[in-house]
Amino acid sequence: MVDHHNRRRILTIAYAAQGLATVLLLMLTCLSVQDERLFYIALVLLGSARAFGQPAGQSFLPQLVSSERFPQAVAWTSSSRQSAVIIGPALGGFIYIWGPAVAYAVCLFFYVATGLAIATLHTNSQPRPLDPSASAFRRVTAGIRFIRSQPTILGAISLDLFAVLLGGATALLPIYARDILKVGPGGLGLLRSAPAAGAAITGLVLGRAALRRNADW
């Protein structure tokens, strides 16, 4: 979808859908709805929007800057994203002190603002045309075939796969913050930002003392 359709439009629709899901969560919270199924409907909408929005956002940068400035843009984008991953959860934990409705309202504001900002961008890139000779199944599995043909990429993605699977343990942090550590929403924010802070510190250490033993260059 991202390769063959306008990425700016996909991003705009994805943020609009996430904003709609946040509106549903906000309404369910304000109305004190107890039916868990309605919350799951909002979460499905939110997850579906992110499934389209994240690939579009990650591949949108080349359409915004020239090839000469692309490496510098990647560095700035990575730094800002890592900073957001560290600051965002901690800030969210403190915002949650005023209740979930306030947290949802803040998220809704930024979803709408980001969607409008992306909608106003102008890019010159055109979507890649579909190959009429390739079946839909072949197009879907093209990425898998490419990864299998590149041992370095296959190794990196396989290693990241375990990090993603085991990283789901962060979903248990609210339980630890409330029932075990008893640190409240503020502590939850700090716990949630700890993995990103560790990643940032590790990146700085590796930047100054790169791995040279048992490393495949």
Side-chain angles (χ1 to χ4, degrees):
M1 290 290 293
V2 171
D3 286 340
H4 302 296
H5 294 82
N6 188 290
R7 295 172 188 173
R8 180 182 61 83
R9 188 175 297 113
I10 292 177
L11 272 174
T12 302
I13 296 174
Y15 277 110
Q18 291 178 85
L20 178 59
T22 307
V23 170
L24 293 177
L25 291 172
L26 180 60
M27 292 177 58
L28 293 173
T29 301
C30 292
L31 297 176
S32 299
V33 176
Q34 301 297 322
D35 190 350
E36 296 178 352
R37 293 173 296 180
L38 298 177
F39 285 92
Y40 279 116
I41 292 174
L43 291 176
V44 168
L45 177 59
L46 186 64
S48 300
R50 292 183 63 183
F52 287 91
Q54 285 187 351
Q58 292 171 353
S59 58
F60 192 50
L61 187 60
Q63 299 183 5
L64 299 178
V65 298
S66 62
S67 56
E68 294 79 10
R69 296 186 176 183
F70 181 71
Q72 184 179 9
V74 170
W76 279 104
T77 302
S78 299
S79 299
S80 61
R81 182 182 294 112
Q82 198 65 28
S83 299
V85 171
I86 295 173
I87 298 173
L91 183 60
F94 287 110
I95 292 176
Y96 193 80
I97 293 176
W98 287 278
V102 176
Y104 289 142
V106 172
C107 290
L108 175 60
F109 170 79
F110 283 108
Y111 278 138
V112 173
T114 305
L116 292 176
I118 292 177
T120 59
L121 292 175
H122 298 283
T123 59
N124 297 322
S125 179
Q126 297 295 327
R128 185 179 303 173
L130 291 173
D131 183 4
S133 62
S135 64
F137 178 78
R138 184 172 181 83
R139 291 196 298 268
V140 169
T141 57
I144 298 176
R145 291 196 302 272
F146 174 77
I147 292 172
R148 292 184 60 184
S149 66
Q150 303 293 325
T152 302
I153 298 178
L154 177 60
I157 290 183
S158 299
L159 182 62
D160 182 68
L161 175 64
F162 288 98
V164 172
L165 291 176
L166 299 177
T170 55
L172 300 176
L173 290 181
I175 300 175
Y176 276 84
R178 185 188 65 184
D179 299 333
I180 300 176
L181 300 177
K182 303 184 185 303
V183 292
L188 172 60
L190 294 177
L191 287 173
R192 188 61 183 83
S193 62
I201 294 173
T202 302
L204 292 174
V205 172
L206 292 178
R208 295 183 61 86
L211 296 176
R212 300 188 182 279
R213 297 181 58 186
N214 302 322
D216 184 8
W217 298 96

